[in-house]
Amino acid sequence: MSVEYYRKRLIDLRAQMTKEREAKKKDNAHYADLVKRASTPSSKASYRKSKIDHAASHDRRIESLKREIESAKANLARERERAKKK
């Protein structure tokens, strides 16, 4: 792949991570509101569990994106070294 490809990939991954963080904040606010408005203890517990599960899902996705960013950085450095040798 080319240097330009990895640069674009880094930009795209960083944008995805920003969107994922915003989605996490939005979901947390949504579930907090559901917990606040719940009328029964069982529904509150259910909403709390859903909130935790969704937050964990977002965290996993964010960590995955971080790994992809590190990989893209390494590939970009490798590609730059290869370009210097030519």
Side-chain angles (χ1 to χ4, degrees):
M1 302 284 168
S2 69
V3 172
E4 298 304 318
Y5 169 80
Y6 289 115
R7 284 183 184 160
K8 184 180 181 317
R9 180 83 176 128
L10 279 171
I11 292 168
D12 291 344
L13 288 170
R14 287 179 180 139
Q16 286 178 16
M17 188 160 33
T18 301
K19 286 180 184 177
E20 193 66 31
R21 285 182 174 151
E22 291 299 318
K24 180 181 177 184
K25 287 179 190 176
K26 185 177 175 182
D27 277 356
N28 279 343
H30 173 72
Y31 281 103
D33 187 51
L34 288 175
V35 169
K36 184 179 175 182
R37 294 174 191 267
S39 57
T40 64
S42 64
S43 63
K44 277 190 180 198
S46 174
Y47 289 140
R48 284 189 181 114
K49 184 180 180 318
S50 293
K51 180 180 177 184
I52 291 168
D53 292 343
H54 281 85
S57 174
H58 286 294
D59 289 340
R60 285 190 301 274
R61 178 72 177 132
I62 289 169
E63 288 304 314
S64 172
L65 288 168
K66 285 180 183 178
R67 286 190 301 275
E68 287 184 51
I69 287 171
E70 290 304 314
S71 175
K73 283 181 183 178
N75 290 336
L76 177 61
R78 194 174 311 116
E79 195 63 36
R80 283 182 176 156
E81 286 299 316
R82 191 176 301 151
K84 281 184 183 178
K85 291 179 181 177
K86 288 184 180 180

